[in-house]
Amino acid sequence: MQQTFTAIVEKCHDTNLFVGYVPNMPGAHSQADTLDELYLNLREVIEMLLEDGQQELETDFIGTQTITVG
């Protein structure tokens, strides 16, 4: 059965690496030089977690919000 997960992706200014994580799946995080490499890394991590029995998500990802202040 195919499953779809949402990953949050950021870019670290200090290391210039892309950093990604699945917010509702502990342990599902990685970093890479390119977005393509990050995608593959995250996919591999998620597959390993699922093989280890990590199938229950802690929360449901709803989305993001833009907050304006000042």
Side-chain angles (χ1 to χ4, degrees):
M1 176 172 72
Q2 206 171 30
Q3 292 178 280
T4 301
F5 298 90
T6 300
I8 304 298
V9 178
E10 301 171 339
K11 188 162 187 177
C12 179
H13 293 289
D14 294 334
T15 63
N16 216 30
L17 292 173
F18 292 100
V19 179
Y21 63 95
V22 178
N24 53 351
M25 183 179 255
H29 52 85
S30 188
Q31 62 185 22
D33 291 319
T34 68
L35 289 172
D36 289 338
E37 183 183 357
L38 180 64
Y39 173 86
L40 294 173
N41 289 351
L42 285 172
R43 184 175 173 170
E44 183 178 352
V45 168
I46 291 168
E47 287 173 343
M48 286 189 305
L49 290 170
L50 292 174
E51 286 175 6
D52 288 344
Q54 171 75 30
Q55 296 184 26
E56 286 292 321
L57 300 178
E58 289 190 340
T59 61
D60 292 324
F61 179 77
I62 301 301
T64 62
Q65 291 186 336
T66 301
I67 311 297
T68 303
V69 296

XYZ file of all heavy atoms in Angstrom:
550
model
N 0.837 -1.180 0.000
C 0.000 0.000 0.000
C 0.885 1.248 0.000
O 1.805 1.367 0.802
C -0.912 -0.017 1.235
C -1.737 1.231 1.348
S -2.985 1.193 2.649
C -1.990 1.320 4.110
N 0.588 2.153 -0.877
C 1.350 3.384 -0.994
C 0.844 4.410 0.012
O -0.361 4.560 0.200
C 1.209 3.937 -2.407
C 2.343 4.775 -2.859
C 2.229 5.097 -4.342
O 1.145 5.182 -4.892
N 3.355 5.258 -4.986
N 1.773 5.100 0.681
C 1.431 6.133 1.642
C 2.107 7.427 1.228
O 3.185 7.413 0.634
C 1.892 5.750 3.046
C 1.131 4.573 3.630
C 1.669 4.230 4.997
O 2.694 3.568 5.091
N 0.993 4.672 6.039
N 1.494 8.551 1.566
C 2.051 9.860 1.262
C 2.300 10.605 2.559
O 1.444 10.617 3.445
C 1.080 10.663 0.374
O 0.853 9.933 -0.827
C 1.656 12.021 0.029
N 3.467 11.231 2.673
C 3.843 11.999 3.852
C 4.227 13.409 3.418
O 4.743 13.603 2.319
C 5.029 11.335 4.566
C 4.726 9.962 5.059
C 4.956 8.858 4.255
C 4.189 9.764 6.323
C 4.664 7.577 4.697
C 3.896 8.485 6.769
C 4.127 7.392 5.960
N 3.994 14.362 4.289
C 4.377 15.748 4.033
C 5.648 16.048 4.811
O 5.711 15.796 6.012
C 3.264 16.719 4.472
O 2.083 16.408 3.734
C 3.660 18.153 4.221
N 6.647 16.585 4.119
C 7.903 16.954 4.768
C 8.040 18.472 4.777
O 7.664 19.146 3.814
C 9.085 16.334 4.036
N 8.589 18.987 5.854
C 8.945 20.392 5.946
C 10.405 20.503 5.514
O 11.250 19.734 5.978
C 8.802 20.915 7.401
C 7.390 20.664 7.930
C 9.201 22.374 7.490
C 6.294 21.372 7.175
N 10.696 21.439 4.626
C 12.051 21.604 4.110
C 12.518 23.028 4.379
O 11.802 23.990 4.081
C 12.115 21.305 2.593
C 13.515 21.529 2.057
C 11.644 19.892 2.306
N 13.710 23.137 4.940
C 14.324 24.435 5.221
C 15.750 24.408 4.697
O 16.292 23.345 4.397
C 14.338 24.694 6.731
C 12.954 24.689 7.350
C 12.978 24.736 8.868
O 14.010 24.373 9.478
O 11.968 25.145 9.452
N 16.372 25.572 4.594
C 17.781 25.633 4.187
C 18.558 26.332 5.295
O 18.228 27.441 5.701
C 17.953 26.374 2.879
C 19.374 26.275 2.353
C 19.471 26.622 0.900
C 20.873 26.332 0.410
N 21.005 26.583 -1.008
N 19.592 25.663 5.778
C 20.430 26.188 6.851
C 21.406 27.211 6.283
O 22.171 26.897 5.361
C 21.168 25.047 7.538
S 22.265 25.607 8.856
N 21.401 28.418 6.832
C 22.310 29.460 6.353
C 23.758 29.155 6.724
O 24.672 29.534 5.998
C 21.905 30.824 6.919
C 20.596 31.310 6.411
N 20.398 31.738 5.117
C 19.387 31.421 7.020
C 19.148 32.100 4.950
N 18.503 31.912 6.083
N 23.973 28.495 7.844
C 25.332 28.193 8.295
C 26.010 27.116 7.448
O 27.179 27.238 7.091
C 25.339 27.762 9.762
C 24.933 28.876 10.699
O 25.116 30.062 10.350
O 24.416 28.564 11.786
N 25.284 26.044 7.141
C 25.874 24.916 6.418
C 25.511 24.893 4.936
O 26.095 24.139 4.174
C 25.402 23.582 7.033
O 23.975 23.480 6.875
C 25.795 23.493 8.495
N 24.507 25.683 4.561
C 23.993 25.717 3.189
C 23.353 24.392 2.786
O 23.214 24.089 1.607
C 25.089 26.113 2.193
C 24.541 26.969 1.072
O 23.586 27.715 1.259
N 25.142 26.862 -0.092
N 22.983 23.567 3.765
C 22.335 22.281 3.505
C 20.819 22.432 3.572
O 20.289 23.268 4.308
C 22.767 21.251 4.544
C 24.216 20.802 4.510
C 24.518 19.914 5.707
C 24.530 20.071 3.209
N 20.132 21.598 2.795
C 18.690 21.480 2.918
C 18.402 20.523 4.065
O 19.018 19.463 4.174
C 18.072 20.953 1.625
C 18.164 21.935 0.491
C 19.146 21.809 -0.480
C 17.273 22.993 0.398
C 19.250 22.707 -1.528
C 17.358 23.902 -0.643
C 18.345 23.758 -1.609
N 17.460 20.889 4.924
C 17.089 20.091 6.082
C 15.601 19.784 5.959
O 14.800 20.687 5.708
C 17.369 20.854 7.398
C 16.956 20.029 8.594
C 18.837 21.253 7.477
N 15.239 18.521 6.127
C 13.836 18.145 6.007
C 13.418 17.210 7.114
O 14.229 16.456 7.645
N 12.124 17.310 7.474
C 11.578 16.408 8.478
C 10.084 16.242 8.249
O 9.428 17.099 7.664
C 11.858 16.913 9.897
C 11.211 18.241 10.230
C 9.977 18.299 10.866
C 11.836 19.434 9.905
C 9.380 19.517 11.161
C 11.250 20.650 10.204
C 10.021 20.681 10.838
O 9.427 21.896 11.122
N 9.576 15.117 8.689
C 8.136 14.855 8.664
C 7.630 15.196 10.060
O 8.012 14.542 11.034
C 7.835 13.383 8.298
C 6.338 13.120 8.320
C 8.430 13.052 6.937
N 6.805 16.242 10.197
C 6.465 16.763 11.519
C 5.722 15.793 12.429
O 5.805 15.907 13.635
C 5.608 17.995 11.218
C 5.178 17.861 9.817
C 6.185 16.999 9.128
N 5.019 14.845 11.899
C 4.235 13.936 12.737
C 4.857 12.551 12.870
O 4.199 11.621 13.314
C 2.803 13.835 12.203
C 2.765 13.482 10.729
O 3.778 13.475 10.057
N 1.594 13.203 10.222
N 6.135 12.424 12.488
C 6.802 11.120 12.536
C 8.182 11.273 13.182
O 9.140 11.671 12.518
C 6.927 10.538 11.129
C 7.536 9.155 11.086
S 7.632 8.531 9.395
C 6.285 7.367 9.431
N 8.299 10.962 14.462
C 9.587 11.085 15.141
C 10.669 10.258 14.448
O 10.440 9.120 14.052
C 9.310 10.529 16.543
C 7.842 10.630 16.711
C 7.244 10.468 15.347
N 11.825 10.858 14.274
C 12.942 10.179 13.637
C 13.022 10.375 12.145
O 14.020 10.013 11.527
N 11.980 10.923 11.537
C 11.965 11.114 10.088
C 12.534 12.490 9.749
O 11.807 13.467 9.560
C 10.555 10.961 9.537
N 13.867 12.563 9.713
C 14.537 13.818 9.376
C 15.849 13.510 8.678
O 16.422 12.428 8.843
C 14.778 14.667 10.627
C 15.479 13.932 11.723
N 16.844 13.824 11.784
C 15.003 13.237 12.777
C 17.182 13.119 12.846
N 16.077 12.738 13.469
N 16.317 14.457 7.871
C 17.569 14.267 7.152
C 18.059 15.618 6.656
O 17.374 16.632 6.791
C 17.371 13.313 5.970
O 18.619 12.989 5.390
N 19.251 15.603 6.058
C 19.804 16.797 5.430
C 20.577 16.381 4.196
O 20.996 15.232 4.071
C 20.705 17.556 6.397
C 21.913 16.778 6.866
C 22.700 17.539 7.925
O 22.175 18.415 8.590
N 23.961 17.192 8.065
N 20.753 17.341 3.265
C 21.451 17.015 2.019
C 21.886 18.297 1.310
O 21.401 19.389 1.614
C 20.543 16.203 1.106
N 22.772 18.124 0.327
C 23.249 19.251 -0.470
C 22.220 19.735 -1.485
O 22.214 20.903 -1.857
C 24.529 18.873 -1.218
C 25.718 18.691 -0.290
O 25.869 19.493 0.653
O 26.501 17.748 -0.518
N 21.366 18.823 -1.974
C 20.372 19.174 -2.988
C 18.989 18.706 -2.546
O 18.852 17.811 -1.697
C 20.693 18.523 -4.347
O 20.525 17.097 -4.231
C 22.100 18.851 -4.820
N 17.955 19.292 -3.159
C 16.584 18.868 -2.855
C 16.332 17.435 -3.315
O 15.626 16.679 -2.640
C 15.580 19.822 -3.494
C 15.491 21.202 -2.856
C 14.607 22.122 -3.693
C 14.961 21.096 -1.424
N 16.901 17.056 -4.442
C 16.728 15.684 -4.931
C 17.332 14.681 -3.954
O 16.727 13.646 -3.656
C 17.371 15.504 -6.311
C 16.605 16.221 -7.410
O 15.396 16.504 -7.233
O 17.219 16.503 -8.453
N 18.522 14.982 -3.453
C 19.174 14.107 -2.483
C 18.385 14.053 -1.179
O 18.230 12.988 -0.576
C 20.603 14.586 -2.222
C 21.387 13.701 -1.279
C 22.780 14.254 -0.982
O 23.176 15.292 -1.547
O 23.476 13.626 -0.168
N 17.854 15.201 -0.762
C 17.043 15.242 0.459
C 15.802 14.371 0.307
O 15.440 13.613 1.208
C 16.649 16.674 0.799
C 15.809 16.832 2.057
C 16.579 16.395 3.299
C 15.336 18.274 2.201
N 15.141 14.452 -0.837
C 13.961 13.626 -1.100
C 14.297 12.140 -0.946
O 13.576 11.392 -0.275
C 13.428 13.910 -2.512
C 12.313 12.995 -2.929
C 10.995 13.288 -2.599
C 12.568 11.825 -3.637
C 9.963 12.439 -2.977
C 11.551 10.972 -4.004
C 10.253 11.285 -3.681
O 9.233 10.437 -4.041
N 15.390 11.721 -1.573
C 15.786 10.314 -1.488
C 16.135 9.913 -0.057
O 15.765 8.827 0.399
C 16.961 10.036 -2.424
C 16.672 10.179 -3.915
C 17.962 10.048 -4.726
C 15.634 9.168 -4.372
N 16.844 10.799 0.662
C 17.203 10.505 2.050
C 15.954 10.358 2.919
O 15.851 9.426 3.721
C 18.084 11.616 2.629
C 19.470 11.642 2.045
O 19.879 10.754 1.323
N 20.199 12.710 2.345
N 15.020 11.298 2.779
C 13.798 11.236 3.588
C 12.978 9.993 3.247
O 12.416 9.348 4.136
C 12.956 12.494 3.391
C 13.478 13.748 4.080
C 12.677 14.971 3.645
C 13.416 13.586 5.597
N 12.901 9.670 1.980
C 12.159 8.477 1.573
C 12.756 7.222 2.216
O 12.036 6.366 2.728
C 12.164 8.362 0.053
C 11.357 7.217 -0.446
C 11.306 7.217 -1.938
N 10.652 5.986 -2.370
C 10.277 5.738 -3.582
N 10.453 6.618 -4.525
N 9.711 4.598 -3.880
N 14.088 7.129 2.203
C 14.763 5.982 2.802
C 14.504 5.911 4.315
O 14.228 4.835 4.852
C 16.267 6.065 2.537
C 17.048 4.888 3.059
C 18.527 4.979 2.742
O 18.957 5.868 1.993
O 19.266 4.119 3.256
N 14.574 7.049 4.987
C 14.329 7.082 6.432
C 12.894 6.657 6.748
O 12.655 5.856 7.652
C 14.612 8.500 6.997
C 14.086 8.641 8.413
C 16.095 8.799 6.960
N 11.940 7.173 5.996
C 10.533 6.818 6.221
C 10.323 5.327 5.989
O 9.647 4.650 6.775
C 9.610 7.661 5.321
C 9.636 9.123 5.780
C 8.180 7.115 5.338
C 8.992 10.092 4.806
N 10.907 4.794 4.913
C 10.776 3.355 4.635
C 11.344 2.519 5.785
O 10.742 1.524 6.182
C 11.467 3.007 3.318
C 10.717 3.486 2.102
C 11.478 3.292 0.798
O 12.718 3.079 0.836
O 10.830 3.375 -0.264
N 12.501 2.934 6.319
C 13.097 2.191 7.438
C 12.205 2.262 8.679
O 12.016 1.257 9.369
C 14.489 2.731 7.756
C 15.530 2.338 6.740
S 17.241 2.727 7.206
C 17.188 4.454 7.564
N 11.655 3.440 8.966
C 10.768 3.572 10.124
C 9.517 2.715 9.965
O 9.055 2.102 10.930
C 10.392 5.044 10.344
C 11.527 5.939 10.844
C 11.103 7.403 10.786
C 11.928 5.559 12.262
N 8.973 2.669 8.761
C 7.786 1.839 8.518
C 8.112 0.357 8.666
O 7.315 -0.408 9.201
C 7.202 2.145 7.144
C 6.582 3.529 6.972
C 6.168 3.753 5.525
C 5.399 3.717 7.908
N 9.293 -0.057 8.192
C 9.712 -1.458 8.333
C 9.879 -1.834 9.801
O 9.619 -2.970 10.188
C 11.025 -1.696 7.592
C 10.891 -1.743 6.098
C 12.232 -1.854 5.391
O 13.269 -2.011 6.067
O 12.235 -1.772 4.147
N 10.319 -0.866 10.609
C 10.517 -1.112 12.037
C 9.217 -1.049 12.835
O 9.232 -1.149 14.052
C 11.505 -0.093 12.629
C 12.933 -0.347 12.167
O 13.210 -1.448 11.663
O 13.765 0.566 12.310
N 8.098 -0.853 12.140
C 6.811 -0.834 12.818
C 6.316 0.546 13.187
O 5.288 0.683 13.825
N 7.015 1.597 12.791
C 6.604 2.971 13.086
C 5.529 3.366 12.075
O 5.792 4.005 11.086
C 7.811 3.914 12.983
C 7.491 5.391 13.064
C 7.167 5.841 14.461
O 7.666 5.281 15.414
N 6.345 6.845 14.579
N 4.295 2.951 12.330
C 3.220 3.264 11.390
C 2.192 4.210 11.967
O 1.453 4.835 11.239
C 2.546 1.983 10.921
C 3.502 1.112 10.134
C 2.830 -0.113 9.588
O 1.636 -0.128 9.366
N 3.596 -1.157 9.367
N 2.112 4.320 13.268
C 1.169 5.228 13.902
C 1.762 6.628 13.946
O 2.789 6.848 14.575
C 0.840 4.763 15.325
C -0.066 3.560 15.389
C -1.469 3.869 14.893
O -1.988 4.969 15.182
O -2.040 3.005 14.219
N 1.134 7.556 13.266
C 1.595 8.932 13.301
C 1.129 9.586 14.592
O 0.009 9.351 15.049
C 1.069 9.697 12.090
C 1.492 9.140 10.730
C 0.869 9.961 9.609
C 2.990 9.099 10.590
N 1.992 10.425 15.178
C 1.665 11.061 16.453
C 0.614 12.142 16.298
O -0.168 12.391 17.204
C 2.925 11.645 17.090
C 3.873 10.591 17.606
C 4.985 11.180 18.436
O 5.267 12.384 18.334
O 5.581 10.409 19.212
N 0.618 12.835 15.183
C -0.336 13.915 14.924
C -0.717 13.886 13.455
O -0.123 13.160 12.660
C 0.277 15.296 15.256
O 1.427 15.486 14.423
C 0.686 15.408 16.714
N -1.680 14.699 13.077
C -2.045 14.874 11.676
C -1.522 16.221 11.213
O -1.804 17.251 11.842
C -3.558 14.838 11.487
C -4.146 13.471 11.759
O -3.484 12.472 11.427
O -5.263 13.400 12.300
N -0.739 16.237 10.135
C -0.246 17.490 9.588
C -1.407 18.223 8.951
O -2.123 17.681 8.120
C 0.863 17.248 8.563
C 1.386 18.510 7.959
C 2.261 19.303 8.676
C 0.995 18.907 6.696
C 2.749 20.488 8.146
C 1.475 20.082 6.158
C 2.353 20.878 6.871
N -1.610 19.470 9.347
C -2.726 20.263 8.833
C -2.260 21.254 7.781
O -2.871 21.409 6.741
C -3.432 21.024 9.993
C -3.944 20.037 11.040
C -4.551 21.904 9.456
C -4.926 19.006 10.521
N -1.171 21.934 8.033
C -0.682 22.912 7.064
C 0.224 23.923 7.732
O 0.707 23.717 8.844
N 0.450 25.005 7.037
C 1.268 26.085 7.571
C 0.447 27.360 7.596
O -0.579 27.472 6.914
C 2.525 26.307 6.711
O 2.115 26.681 5.392
C 3.392 25.059 6.657
N 0.894 28.319 8.378
C 0.250 29.632 8.437
C 1.311 30.691 8.317
O 2.419 30.551 8.808
C -0.486 29.837 9.760
C -1.706 28.979 9.920
C -2.477 29.327 11.188
O -1.923 29.850 12.131
N -3.753 29.014 11.188
N 0.972 31.781 7.649
C 1.834 32.944 7.572
C 1.331 33.952 8.586
O 0.153 34.306 8.587
C 1.814 33.557 6.157
O 2.241 32.557 5.237
C 2.718 34.754 6.079
N 2.202 34.382 9.476
C 1.842 35.303 10.555
C 2.558 36.629 10.304
O 3.778 36.661 10.148
C 2.263 34.759 11.943
C 1.805 33.303 12.132
C 1.806 35.673 13.045
C 0.316 33.110 12.107
N 1.820 37.723 10.291
C 2.383 39.054 10.104
C 2.373 39.774 11.437
O 1.330 39.806 12.106
C 1.584 39.850 9.080
O 1.549 39.109 7.841
C 2.190 41.212 8.825
N 3.511 40.327 11.833
C 3.602 41.109 13.068
C 4.203 42.470 12.754
O 4.927 42.635 11.778
C 4.432 40.390 14.157
C 3.759 39.096 14.574
C 5.831 40.111 13.666
N 3.936 43.420 13.647
C 4.522 44.753 13.517
C 3.942 45.496 12.418
O 4.056 46.227 11.658
